[in-house]
Amino acid sequence: MPKKLSFDRRKFLTGAAGGMTGLVAGKALAGAQPPARAESASKRTAPAEVDPPSVDVLTVDRSGSDFMVDVIKSLGFEYIASNPGSSFRGLHESIINYGGNAAPEFITCCHEESAAALAHGYSKIEGKPMCVLVHSDVGLQHASMAIFNAYCDRAPMYVIAGNTLDATQRRPGVEWDHSVEDAAALVRDFVKWDDLPISLPHFAESAVRAYKIAMTPPTMPVLIVADAGLQEDPIAADARFRIPKLVVAMPPQGDSGSVAEAAKLLVAAENPVIIAGRATRTPAGMAHLIELAEALQAPVVDQGARMNFPTRHPLNQTEGGRALIAGADVILGLELTDFWGTVHSYRDQVQRTSKSLILEGAKLVSISTGDLYAKGNYQDIQRYEEVDLAIAADAETTLPSLVEAVKSLISNDRKNTFQERGSKFADEHQKGWDRARSEATYGWDSSPISIARLSSELWAQIKSEDWSLVSSVNPASRWPLRLWSFDKHYQYIGGSGGEGQGYGAPASAGAALANKKHGRLSVSIQGDGDLMYAPGILWTMAHHRIPLLSVVQNNRAYHQELMHVQRMACRHNRGITRANIGTTIQDPNVDYAKVAQGMGVYAEGPITDPNNLAPAIRRAIEVVKRGAPALIDVITEPR
């Protein structure tokens, strides 16, 4: 907190205002004309009583926002991301002055959606929420898509929205447009909890409660509305408010009876399959999943929503997952976002049809916090699947007891059977890696550059570093997961959850911000269409020195949508020659290197010759290692 000024600001301004009042009065008297004639004393009336001139109070030594910052600091936030807005001007000033702009540090964003998406990416590296400030109704509407993504992704986020609730205290004009009776109504369907505190003690309790709720699985965004009056009104110098103690709830663990039943099914199975969705959050979670798979020598299908299982582990059978599911007698789903879609095939044709993939009599076991929370309006819960055993609990927290129960049931005969099973999977795994490397060579020297070549060249430059891929692999056709060696929990953060465009660039920046203090090399394979939603994040990265290597996969199209239009054109027998209309980013082509350079980011490209790719990546990595962002614009094949 800055040192208090040596003079009393209030007395100084009061004296200054009083002196100005006297000066103005003196000038008025000096210029006054004498009365034309004197009135007799008998006709004089008593002068009307006039209130003494008042002086506006222009300064406040302590405001509600100072205490709010004390509360925010108690929650341990490292950063607070925001695009500035008047509805939280009190909090803003208190954060940077009273709070010293440290813990939390203000991260300036050029759009509220970028601020929220940045917090989303950060949470998946750090395992805790970042704070986001948004400006009343308009800022919350801007941020809503990114909040929705985090909701669908079950990622914790802590949002504070400013608002002026008291209509008699709103400034005339725009403040009426930027105020609302129930701000949280804008996002209530896709936040876990919200509140509007009406006093500072209320704010303290709700702020701590919100953090606890956000961090209790299933983790999700929460929202606190900070009234402008509560922020800006003065509080007495001797006022004392208590900040409640934060005690984060222990995640729910599966009950012993259900866990024992699941263990019996797994040990007795001839062809068990473990499928991991958002199963692990920490290194311990990944270790427990490895321990379970190795105890059973059971194959693991990693759906990629988180970094669940090492890609080069012999039991990682993700690439052959469909066939394994079809032949399984027991399927264990860990925090699956779509169990129904996992065990069914679906045909998107004129008449949409589906059929079950699983064997008759196969047993389905689910361990998921998804059964503990659901809302009706936004249908991210997917189709209902009839499982045989549903354990409503946190999968990572339940894994240790499941591992223990499984090991206690394995006889020597079963252990030998399991080892034989594991040897077969090890052979299949090696064949899969050899096949992926061979397929990556197709079109190796082509231009536009193949995604496999891009992924291979990037891996060759980062594999000896402590790296972290902070972008989704789906637009890159999952080539990094097929070619790289992922074995640490922070090396992959999954996708956006709600598949909303505009997530990739700011979420990657948030994850890179979290990786910064650990000295990790953060890498993003960035879609060009996604970057067009939020290019201002490049300035944020340059301004705050966020070290991130962004490799733009520039196919000059919203390619997934282009394929959807092609599908419709074929369905209607009209040909695909016009499918580019409304789906491509051409004429003119965007030069992302120049865009990035204009934002203060080191950049190269557009690169069209694959032989120029490796040297460009090396140069960019050197920039990132010096603590700055870098971008490479690569002209690629569509997928």
Side-chain angles (χ1 to χ4, degrees):
M1 177 178 176
K3 191 183 246 184
K4 187 171 176 66
L5 298 175
S6 59
F7 58 86
D8 190 313
R9 293 178 294 168
R10 190 170 295 168
K11 289 181 179 178
F12 170 77
L13 286 168
T14 302
M20 184 61 69
T21 302
L23 180 61
V24 172
K27 287 183 178 179
L29 289 173
Q33 298 297 319
R37 57 187 178 85
E39 296 183 3
S40 64
S42 62
K43 291 184 179 180
R44 292 179 188 165
T45 58
E49 291 186 6
V50 179
D51 292 335
S54 62
V55 178
D56 289 337
V57 178
L58 301 179
T59 64
V60 173
D61 289 328
R62 193 177 180 214
S63 65
S65 57
D66 287 353
F67 174 69
M68 290 177 175
V69 170
D70 290 334
V71 176
I72 291 169
K73 280 179 172 289
S74 76
L75 299 175
F77 293 113
E78 291 183 289
Y79 304 101
I80 191 160
S82 181
N83 180 250
S86 60
S87 63
F88 57 82
R89 62 187 185 180
L91 259 176
H92 187 158
E93 190 277 335
S94 289
I95 289 166
I96 61 177
N97 285 327
Y98 174 77
N101 196 35
E105 175 188 348
F106 200 97
I107 302 296
T108 309
C109 296
C110 300
H111 195 285
E112 289 88 350
E113 185 174 353
S114 293
L118 187 139
H120 184 177
Y122 169 93
S123 73
K124 292 198 284 186
I125 291 291
E126 282 299 292
K128 64 179 185 180
M130 181 193 289
C131 190
V132 180
L133 278 175
V134 297
H135 172 46
S136 191
D137 53 349
V138 289
L140 194 54
Q141 289 178 84
H142 277 308
S144 62
M145 182 64 246
I147 296 171
F148 176 70
N149 274 336
Y151 169 80
C152 293
D153 199 26
R154 301 302 185 258
M157 182 187 296
Y158 197 101
V159 184
I160 300 177
N163 187 47
T164 303
L165 188 61
D166 188 343
T168 67
Q169 297 299 309
R170 294 174 189 160
R171 289 174 287 129
V174 71
E175 193 161 64
W176 278 82
D177 298 323
H178 293 187
S179 297
V180 62
E181 290 186 14
D182 183 6
L186 294 165
V187 296
R188 185 164 289 133
D189 278 329
F190 45 92
V191 297
K192 192 176 183 182
W193 188 75
D194 68 84
D195 197 24
L196 168 59
I198 61 172
S199 69
L200 292 176
H202 185 176
F203 178 87
E205 287 196 14
S206 292
V208 174
R209 187 195 303 272
Y211 193 99
K212 180 178 181 179
I213 291 172
M215 285 295 289
T216 302
T219 59
M220 295 182 204
V222 293
L223 171 68
I224 296 292
V225 180
D227 182 67
L230 200 62
Q231 296 176 53
E232 299 180 21
D233 286 349
I235 56 178
D238 59 351
R240 295 292 180 267
F241 299 112
R242 182 177 177 275
I243 301 174
K245 180 181 179 181
L246 171 65
V247 180
V248 176
M250 294 297 293
Q253 180 178 340
D255 72 275
S256 58
S258 297
V259 170
E261 179 63 23
K264 288 179 184 178
L265 290 171
L266 289 167
V267 172
E270 294 302 320
N271 296 297
V273 176
I274 301 170
I275 307 174
R278 299 189 185 101
T280 68
R281 300 182 302 275
T282 67
M286 182 185 291
H288 292 316
L289 181 54
I290 294 170
E291 190 177 6
L292 176 64
E294 290 179 348
L296 294 164
Q297 288 298 301
V300 175
V301 177
D302 191 343
Q303 294 185 332
R306 294 290 187 274
M307 182 61 227
N308 295 303
F309 202 75
T311 55
R312 294 199 179 180
H313 193 289
L315 293 173
N316 190 321
Q317 298 291 314
T318 302
E319 296 306 315
R322 209 70 166 164
L324 288 170
I325 291 169
D329 52 357
V330 174
I331 298 173
L332 172 63
L334 302 175
E335 301 289 356
L336 300 191
T337 60
D338 185 5
F339 211 137
W340 187 92
T342 299
V343 297
H344 285 80
S345 64
Y346 190 88
R347 298 178 67 186
D348 179 12
Q349 296 184 332
V350 175
Q351 293 182 340
R352 297 184 177 189
T353 59
S354 62
K355 68 176 182 178
S356 176
L357 293 173
I358 60 176
L359 296 172
E360 184 177 352
K363 300 296 184 181
L364 307 184
V365 179
S366 170
I367 305 178
S368 175
T369 54
D371 290 329
L372 299 174
Y373 186 95
K375 285 191 175 182
N377 193 25
Y378 288 88
Q379 297 290 299
D380 66 311
I381 55 177
Q382 307 295 324
R383 289 279 298 272
Y384 179 81
E385 178 55 41
E386 302 173 28
V387 302
D388 297 280
L389 179 59
I391 303 176
D394 179 58
E396 178 170 313
T397 307
T398 304
L399 277 172
S401 60
L402 180 59
V403 170
E404 184 179 352
V406 163
K407 287 183 174 180
S408 69
L409 294 174
I410 299 175
S411 64
N412 288 332
D413 288 343
R414 293 303 288 162
K415 187 178 293 186
N416 293 334
T417 300
F418 293 171
Q419 292 300 326
E420 292 176 8
R421 184 165 66 201
S423 297
K424 295 178 182 178
F425 286 128
D427 291 340
E428 286 298 318
H429 181 81
Q430 186 59 49
K431 291 177 183 177
W433 276 108
D434 293 340
R435 186 164 53 250
R437 286 193 293 270
S438 174
E439 291 175 357
T441 63
Y442 300 160
W444 187 257
D445 294 318
S446 64
S447 180
I449 298 170
S450 73
I451 308 302
R453 174 78 183 261
L454 170 63
S455 300
S456 299
E457 296 286 8
L458 189 53
W459 172 239
Q461 302 305 321
I462 70 169
K463 62 184 179 180
S464 60
E465 307 287 346
D466 184 15
W467 57 272
S468 175
L469 180 64
V470 292
S471 60
S472 172
V473 295
N474 290 337
S477 299
R478 302 185 70 258
W479 275 110
L481 291 179
R482 297 181 67 191
L483 298 172
W484 303 8
S485 178
F486 293 79
D487 58 11
K488 295 181 176 63
H489 81 285
Y490 56 80
Q491 287 180 333
Y492 184 59
I493 66 173
S496 66
E499 302 301 329
Q501 288 291 293
Y503 159 88
S508 295
L513 183 62
N515 280 326
K516 182 178 180 179
K517 66 176 177 289
H518 301 291
R520 299 168 187 152
L521 175 63
S522 298
V523 180
S524 169
I525 301 176
Q526 172 63 52
D528 57 332
D530 178 273
L531 183 57
M532 290 295 284
Y533 276 71
I537 196 66
L538 296 169
W539 178 89
T540 296
M541 288 192 288
H543 179 73
H544 291 283
R545 309 294 189 270
I546 300 176
L548 171 66
L549 171 58
S550 299
V551 180
V552 179
Q553 180 187 334
N554 187 356
N555 57 27
R556 293 174 173 163
Y558 295 103
H559 191 71
Q560 179 171 277
E561 284 61 43
L562 185 146
M563 291 188 293
H564 277 299
V565 175
Q566 288 176 333
R567 173 174 288 185
M568 292 298 101
C570 289
R571 181 176 295 179
H572 302 149
N573 292 314
R574 293 172 182 156
I576 63 172
T577 58
R578 295 168 62 83
N580 63 303
I581 298 174
T583 58
T584 56
I585 311 173
Q586 298 174 338
D587 189 23
N589 296 326
V590 180
D591 188 330
Y592 293 98
K594 286 184 178 178
V595 172
Q597 290 162 2
M599 300 278 191
V601 174
Y602 172 89
E604 292 190 36
I607 295 174
T608 56
D609 185 343
N611 294 318
N612 294 333
L613 193 52
I617 293 173
R618 284 195 292 270
R619 289 189 292 269
I621 287 175
E622 289 305 311
V623 172
V624 175
K625 284 184 174 181
R626 294 196 295 270
L631 179 144
I632 303 172
D633 183 3
V634 184
I635 307 303
T636 70
E637 293 179 343
R639 285 289 178 98

